């Protein structure tokens, strides 16, 4: 219960700080870089995704270790991810026949 109260208190306090910075930017001609930084930072935080869920429950999520398994398979030689191009021939690849 104390943790929930602390979270709400922090959210309300930071929200009040953000509104103070925005109102100061709008209403006073002497607002400076501090108010601008607080307002821009709060706006930037609002762009973060808030509807997150565990990867195991997400639709279409890639399985954990998928890329690691691909590299292990390639290192063992059973699957080739890429092949090198052949070296260019000195005659420019023309065939005289």
């Amino acid at each position: 219960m104390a943790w929930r109260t602390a979270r709400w208190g922090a959210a309300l306090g930071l929200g009040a700080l953000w509104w103070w910075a925005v109102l100061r930017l709008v209403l006073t001609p002497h607002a400076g870089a501090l108010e601008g930084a607080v307002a821009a930072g709060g706006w930037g935080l609002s762009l973060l995704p808030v509807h997150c869920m565990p990867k195991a429950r997400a639709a279409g999520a890639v399985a954990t270790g998928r890329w690691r398994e691909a590299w292990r398979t390639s290192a063992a030689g059973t699957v080739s991810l890429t092949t090198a191009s052949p070296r260019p021939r000195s005659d420019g690849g023309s065939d005289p026949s």
Side-chain angles (χ1 to χ4, degrees), residues 18 37-48:
W18 184 81
V38 170
W43 178 80
L45 286 175
S46 72
L47 299 177
L48 291 174

Side-chain angles (χ1 to χ4, degrees), residues 11-27 38-39 42:
L12 289 174
L14 291 173
L17 178 68
W18 184 81
W19 275 108
W20 167 81
V22 170
L23 291 175
R24 185 159 161 91
L25 279 172
V26 172
L27 300 175
V38 170

